[in-house]
Amino acid sequence: PIEMLTLMRETIAGGIDHGCPAVLIRAMDWQCERLCGVFGASERVLRTALPTGFTRHSSRLMFLWSNLLPFAIYPAMGPLGTLPASLIGAYALLGIEDIGVQLEEPFDVLPLRQYSDGMFDAIGQVERNYIPYVPPSAANKME
């Protein structure tokens, strides 16, 4: 990814030679700079170690609580109210626990595949519509 950002910036800088307005080159370079910042932030999020013990402990506690809840509310609600109340309480609590797990692992639930497919299609359209520019560093590698 860093190499791709470097090639993108070299290509943008090469646009000066082809008569591209300086305002557009500054805007594209600024977008590359933002992309680099977002890439760095997402790498930090991805590389941050998550305490798996907390997730395991909370899921075991939720399982135990959900299984013991009917015994605790039976004296107050009787046989007809215990089942619906237990199901509603367990559903709500386990839903909150599932949201917590999804917040801890954001890259498992984000639609990254659809996003990357859209980016690939957009880049393909740009590639089909414009004359490719070979940056100086790439031209030196080919020789």
Side-chain angles (χ1 to χ4, degrees):
I2 299 297
E3 184 177 347
M4 290 303 298
L5 283 171
T6 303
L7 289 174
M8 285 171 60
R9 290 189 111 165
E10 285 180 1
T11 303
I12 291 169
I16 295 173
D17 299 336
H18 295 294
C20 189
V23 175
L24 294 178
I25 291 188
R26 277 194 299 267
M28 287 186 285
D29 192 53
W30 181 70
Q31 292 294 335
C32 280
E33 192 174 318
R34 285 184 57 211
L35 181 62
C36 185
V38 169
F39 174 71
S42 65
E43 280 292 318
R44 282 191 298 276
V45 169
L46 184 62
R47 302 284 181 232
T48 301
L50 295 173
T52 57
F54 174 75
T55 305
R56 280 193 218 125
H57 178 72
S58 64
S59 65
R60 290 175 185 154
L61 181 65
M62 298 302 139
F63 176 75
L64 181 65
W65 188 85
S66 297
N67 284 323
L68 294 178
L69 179 63
F71 298 110
I73 63 174
Y74 182 79
M77 302 196 81
L80 294 178
T82 300
L83 182 63
S86 297
L87 289 175
I88 291 170
Y91 179 77
L93 194 64
L94 292 175
I96 292 171
E97 196 261 339
D98 185 49
I99 291 170
V101 169
Q102 289 180 5
L103 289 175
E104 287 178 355
E105 300 284 341
F107 293 106
D108 289 340
V109 296
L110 293 175
L112 295 179
R113 182 64 182 185
Q114 292 87 349
Y115 180 72
S116 64
D117 287 345
M119 291 295 291
F120 184 77
D121 292 340
I123 291 170
Q125 184 177 4
V126 168
E127 187 179 46
R128 286 188 300 274
N129 291 331
Y130 295 101
I131 299 170
Y133 168 73
V134 179
S137 64
N140 292 339
K141 288 180 183 178
M142 288 195 282
E143 293 175 358

